Amino acid sequence: MDKDELKRRAAAQALEHVRDGMQLGLGTGSTAKHFVELLGERVRAGLNVVGVPTSEATRADAERCGIKLTTLDEIDHLDLTVDGADEVDANLDLIKGGGGALLREKIVAAASDRMIVIADESKLVDSLGRFPLPIEVIPFGLAATRRAVLQVLATAGCTGELKLRPGKDGHAFVTDGGHWILDAHLGRIPDAPRLAQSLCAVPGVVEHGLFVGMARTVVLAGAAGIQTIERA
């Protein structure tokens, strides 16, 4: 069974938590795309929900699938957000943002009563950091921001390269919010909550891909079946 099929199975399991009338956060990425497509099938069969997309790509997918959309300016909360992750540890803390949508993903997750993460079992790790940590920054003063981020990483016991993410055109990758991304290739993050807090204090950093204490449930699909982990 390939990873794409595993991702779809995890998405299908998460769909069982969706109820008629819910307001949903719709994640970004290959696994979340499966959820949107499966949700669209339910909507066409009569399910009444409304979604808030976390990226322009997800917005396009949801519209194609016939899912009614809204914004966080029009509603005051979300019942549930379903999203993928690049890494998940035993505490259900995450690295997200490989697709570049971390800022909107975190805003939507924070506005939700519950966040369910869907992934294939390869995303479960002993320690976060093998996947490069995305740090979203404003372009102005990039060199100064980069120096400050490197200092924060060093203080947190993290070492590795900090690279500006390139776009398909060879220039800097630009997020939906018009920002750039620095990818921190750390290998291991000794204390994710500490690093998350420290990065937020750096001027020029808009957001980072450490989602600490946000996921309530993680659904992992593997060759042996579905594993559901709940936050204690």
Side-chain angles (χ1 to χ4, degrees):
M1 189 183 304
D2 64 19
K3 281 191 177 182
D4 199 56
E5 178 58 29
L6 292 176
K7 292 175 181 180
R8 195 167 187 86
R9 290 192 177 194
Q13 182 68 27
L15 192 59
E16 298 305 310
H17 295 268
V18 175
R19 301 289 180 266
D20 198 68
M22 276 189 166
Q23 300 176 154
L24 304 172
L26 305 177
T28 295
S30 57
T31 312
K33 183 180 179 71
H34 283 297
F35 177 79
V36 170
E37 291 174 348
L38 292 170
L39 180 64
E41 293 177 4
R42 292 280 185 90
V43 167
R44 292 190 293 275
L47 180 69
N48 177 33
V49 294
V50 62
V52 172
T54 54
S55 65
E56 295 308 309
T58 297
R59 176 184 300 280
D61 287 338
E63 289 175 344
R64 173 177 53 81
C65 292
I67 299 170
K68 181 181 177 183
L69 299 178
T70 187
T71 70
L72 290 175
D73 295 317
E74 297 171 328
I75 57 176
D76 60 1
H77 84 288
L78 295 167
D79 299 295
L80 175 67
T81 284
V82 178
D83 205 347
D86 298 302
E87 284 188 342
V88 182
D89 70 9
N91 296 319
L92 303 195
D93 293 333
L94 320 168
I95 285 182
K96 290 178 51 56
L102 60 145
L103 175 59
R104 294 189 185 185
E105 287 173 333
K106 192 171 283 190
I107 291 171
V108 168
S112 303
D113 294 339
R114 182 182 183 191
M115 181 185 188
I116 296 179
V117 171
I118 52 178
D120 67 86
E121 62 184 357
S122 71
K123 301 299 191 296
L124 184 63
V125 297
D126 293 330
S127 178
L128 297 177
R130 180 181 62 191
F131 189 91
L133 173 64
I135 303 168
E136 188 163 345
V137 298
I138 63 170
F140 176 82
L142 178 64
T145 301
R146 187 178 184 277
R147 286 192 294 270
V149 168
L150 284 170
Q151 182 59 52
V152 164
L153 294 175
T155 301
C158 299
T159 59
E161 291 186 285
L162 191 61
K163 298 180 179 179
L164 181 65
R165 184 180 298 184
K168 293 180 179 179
D169 60 359
H171 298 288
F173 173 89
V174 180
T175 69
D176 286 341
H179 307 128
W180 292 353
I181 289 181
L182 294 170
D183 285 314
H185 297 254
L186 306 176
R188 182 177 179 274
I189 298 173
D191 188 337
R194 177 189 176 193
L195 179 58
Q197 185 175 19
S198 298
L199 285 172
C200 287
V202 176
V205 170
V206 179
E207 193 50 84
H208 55 76
L210 286 170
F211 283 54
V212 175
M214 303 190 79
R216 178 91 61 85
T217 304
V218 173
V219 178
L220 299 171
I226 298 290
Q227 178 185 9
T228 299
I229 309 172
E230 299 283 349
R231 181 174 293 278

